[in-house]
């Protein structure tokens, strides 16, 4: 399937975005940088906001959740908010607070599992570390850091020492078999010091200045295309940086719209969203309330605005894999490059209901975008997204959509080069919707 230059460019742009975002803190920083370049102004939650008509702003909460908005040209109580929600975090491995220890002649770094990655995929990869470090100062200062080069590794056990691996699968004990190999032990230097020296050198600071850190492990292999025509992409963190990037691209595509457009990109989705900056926090509700208030609208006007609003929760969906046909609901197979999936679950693990589904189909049709419907196999537990949490907190109608993805939660996931452009088109159409049709 030949890929047109337009969709190809958007997929390339996505891979650039992911490569620049090896951790959720970097993802938020990349988003902020791209928003600044597009003329969005940074707001601080501690300050009073004086919003200009048709202004474009963003606000960060604790370095890794970000809300951006572009004020609409129509009165907010009538037009409401058009919100696209997604998440900045991805499952993987995180360093323990005192990670360095000696095991025989090797210095190893202890890790904790973050969310639910496919652990076996982290073996034999060129891994590195990225995240944030807090340095001592008059008040503690946060620095982003990224080693960029391969630094650590989790070598597999040779098949001669693990004869059953191809029959039993690769199982890794999370305490004893996941520590990452860093280097040889240096004589006379405690392990903790050896690791701190490495951090301090990279940050160009004194070891004593390092107060704390949160460091994610990531794969240094860049994202790329595959398939005879480059019809597929492979990268880390497609779940869910692909949806963040699609939403950002759709927001930046138009300078203005009738309704106020909002991107709500949260950390901590992969671990349940329960934090002061996750989707279960007050962040989105607070921000929307402050937008209304700073435009001079009352609490009642704000409730009218919410009633006229809509939330699209965008997160990746499970593409059909022909080698494992039995894992899928046979009537709801998602085909890669056949458009975004509307995700439906009777128990509302996804927020889609008949009316919100109908609205999204309308936006896809208007944009000339194909769409598919996903339902999970009945005898398997279904995943979820930020959708149910965020829409319940706000009281805003919502649906869950996402592009088809192979190997969700692998260190290297793959998806369709065309689907990314399709989702961007559909989200642009949604953002352009001046009034959400009413039910009844
Ligand atoms: Zn996700």
């Amino acid at each position: 399937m030949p890929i047109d230059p337009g969709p190809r460019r958007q997929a390339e742009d996505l891979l650039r975005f992911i490569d620049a975002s090896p951790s959720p803190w970097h993802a938020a920083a990349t988003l902020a940088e791209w928003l600044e370049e597009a003329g969005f102004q940074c707001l601080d939650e501690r300050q009073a906001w004086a919003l200009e008509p048709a202004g474009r702003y963003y606000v960060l909460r604790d370095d890794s959740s970000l809300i951006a908005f572009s004020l609409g040209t129509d009165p907010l109580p009538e037009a409401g908010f058009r919100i696209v929600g997604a998440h900045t975090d991805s499952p993987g491995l995180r360093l323990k607070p005192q990670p360095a220890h000696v095991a025989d002649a090797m210095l190893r770094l202890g890790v904790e599992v973050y969310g639910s990655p496919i652990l076996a995929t982290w073996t034999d990869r060129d891994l590195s570390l990225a995240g944030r470090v807090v340095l001592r100062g008059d008040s503690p200062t946060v620095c982003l850091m990224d080693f960029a080069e391969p630094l650590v590794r989790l070598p597999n056990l040779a098949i001669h020492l693990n004869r059953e691996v191809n029959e039993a699968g690769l199982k890794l004990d999370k305490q004893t078999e996941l520590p990452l190999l860093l280097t040889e032990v240096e004589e006379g230097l405690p392990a903790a010091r050896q690791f701190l020296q490495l951090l301090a050198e990279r940050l160009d600071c004194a070891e004593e200045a390092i107060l704390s850190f949160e460091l994610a492990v990531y794969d240094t292999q860049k994202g790329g295309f595959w398939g005879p025509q480059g019809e597929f992409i492979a990268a880390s963190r497609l779940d869910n940086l692909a949806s963040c990037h699609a939403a950002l691209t759709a927001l930046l595509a138009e300078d203005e719209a009738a309704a106020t457009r909002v991107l709500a990109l949260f950390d901590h989705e992969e671990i349940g969203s329960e934090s002061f900056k996750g989707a279960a926090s007050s962040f989105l509700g607070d921000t929307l309330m402050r937008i209304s208030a700073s435009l001079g609208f009352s609490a009642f006007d704000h409730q009218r605005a919410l009633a006229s609003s809509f939330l699209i929760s965008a997160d990746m969906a499970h593409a059909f894999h022909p080698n494992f046909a039995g894992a899928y609901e046979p009537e709801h197979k998602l085909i890669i490059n056949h458009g975004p999936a509307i995700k439906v679950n009777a128990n509302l693990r996804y927020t889609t209901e008949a009316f919100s589904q109908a609205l999204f189909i309308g936006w896809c049709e208007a944009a000339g975008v194909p769409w598919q419907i996903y339902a999970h196999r009945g005898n398997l537990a279904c995943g979820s997204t930020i959708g149910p949490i965020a829409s319940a907190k706000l009281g805003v109608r919502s649906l869950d959509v996402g592009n088809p993805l192979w190997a969700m939660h692998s260190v290297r996931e793959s998806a369709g080069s065309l689907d990314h452009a399709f989702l961007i088109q559909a989200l642009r159409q949604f953002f352009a919707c001046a009034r959400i049709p009413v039910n009844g």
Side-chain angles (χ1 to χ4, degrees):
M1 178 195 294
I3 304 296
D4 289 342
R8 166 95 191 185
R9 262 196 307 277
Q10 286 179 318
E12 284 167 354
D13 202 52
L14 164 63
L15 297 180
R16 254 196 311 280
F17 175 76
I18 292 177
D19 289 340
S21 308
S23 77
W25 307 281
H26 287 82
T30 309
L31 287 159
E33 191 186 317
W34 291 25
L35 287 162
E36 293 263 354
E37 275 169 21
F40 282 63
Q41 291 174 48
C42 184
L43 296 171
D44 184 328
E45 286 194 278
R46 292 164 303 177
Q47 309 291 328
W49 295 355
L51 306 181
E52 303 286 336
R56 299 167 9 129
Y57 304 92
Y58 71 94
V59 55
L60 280 160
R61 192 175 271 193
D62 193 45
D63 304 332
S64 57
S65 288
L66 180 145
I67 295 176
F69 56 92
S70 176
L71 296 176
T73 52
D74 281 7
L76 187 61
E78 280 91 63
F81 301 99
R82 303 290 169 276
I83 310 162
V84 179
H87 61 93
T88 56
D89 62 326
S90 301
L93 306 173
R94 298 285 172 86
L95 283 202
K96 288 179 177 170
Q98 297 181 156
H101 60 276
V102 174
D104 297 300
M106 288 300 297
L107 187 68
R108 298 194 306 181
L109 298 180
V111 290
E112 269 188 281
V113 176
Y114 178 85
S116 44
I118 305 175
L119 289 174
T121 63
W122 290 76
T123 59
D124 302 330
R125 310 293 303 183
D126 298 341
L127 303 176
S128 195
L129 302 174
R132 62 176 184 168
V133 181
V134 185
L135 301 180
R136 199 183 294 279
D138 291 339
S139 72
T141 313
V142 178
C143 299
L144 283 187
M145 81 166 305
D146 176 9
F147 278 94
E149 298 298 320
L151 180 79
V152 286
R153 198 168 190 88
L154 186 59
N156 234 307
L157 189 57
I159 196 161
H160 316 80
L161 308 175
N162 189 11
R163 290 286 186 191
E164 298 304 308
V165 65
N166 290 330
E167 286 68 40
L170 181 61
K171 293 180 184 146
L172 296 164
D173 183 281
K174 290 177 182 152
Q175 172 63 25
T176 60
E177 294 172 344
L178 279 188
L180 306 169
L181 304 192
L182 175 67
T183 184
E184 284 179 305
V185 172
E186 222 174 282
E187 280 298 327
L189 189 62
R193 283 282 315 281
Q194 208 175 327
F195 176 63
L196 271 183
Q197 265 184 9
L198 192 70
L199 280 187
E201 243 167 61
R202 181 55 61 128
L203 288 163
D204 199 19
C205 70
E207 286 166 52
E208 307 74 51
I210 297 171
L211 289 171
S212 60
F213 54 78
E214 289 170 280
L215 291 172
V217 183
Y218 75 96
D219 185 0
T220 55
Q221 186 182 359
K222 303 280 185 222
F225 290 82
W226 61 282
Q229 317 264 3
E231 53 269 63
F232 309 111
I233 52 174
S236 292
R237 304 178 297 285
L238 283 167
D239 175 10
N240 193 17
L241 294 187
S243 304
C244 292
H245 178 268
L248 176 71
T249 308
L251 177 69
L252 299 185
E254 270 81 37
D255 283 344
E256 60 174 39
T260 293
R261 295 166 292 158
V262 182
L263 292 193
L265 309 176
F266 299 102
D267 196 359
H268 294 158
E269 189 272 347
E270 297 290 354
I271 52 167
S273 297
E274 290 280 352
S275 72
F276 85 108
K277 58 181 167 177
S281 75
S282 61
F283 189 26
L284 180 56
D286 287 352
T287 304
L288 299 185
M289 170 63 93
R290 289 185 71 165
I291 294 172
S292 288
S294 44
L295 294 174
F297 294 112
S298 69
F300 297 120
D301 291 332
H302 183 62
Q303 287 166 340
R304 290 177 57 212
L306 290 179
S308 306
S309 298
F310 195 97
L311 165 70
I312 291 183
S313 161
D315 205 341
M316 304 306 275
H318 300 298
F320 179 72
H321 187 332
N323 298 14
F324 302 97
Y328 297 85
E329 202 318 292
E331 302 306 318
H332 297 86
K333 295 174 185 168
L334 298 185
I335 309 302
I336 292 240
N337 283 330
H338 283 223
I342 299 166
K343 297 150 84 172
V344 182
N345 178 261
N347 296 291
L348 291 189
R349 304 285 290 161
Y350 305 131
T351 54
T352 311
E353 32 72 28
F355 195 69
S356 62
Q357 178 178 331
L359 295 183
F360 187 75
I361 290 171
W363 293 319
C364 286
E365 285 177 353
V369 165
W371 50 271
Q372 315 180 62
I373 296 201
Y374 182 77
H376 207 60
R377 203 173 163 80
N379 51 6
L380 271 179
C382 184
S384 192
T385 70
I386 58 125
I389 300 162
S391 77
K393 276 192 86 75
L394 289 177
V396 164
R397 189 189 289 283
S398 173
L399 104 158
D400 270 273
V401 300
N403 271 339
L405 179 78
W406 280 312
M408 186 179 287
H409 293 193
S410 165
V411 75
R412 200 158 175 88
E413 300 164 325
S414 50
S417 305
L418 272 183
D419 285 331
H420 193 60
F422 284 144
L423 182 61
I424 292 168
Q425 280 303 110
L427 295 180
R428 283 179 68 178
Q429 193 69 39
F430 163 64
F431 276 146
C433 176
R435 294 289 184 279
I436 297 295
V438 291
N439 173 19

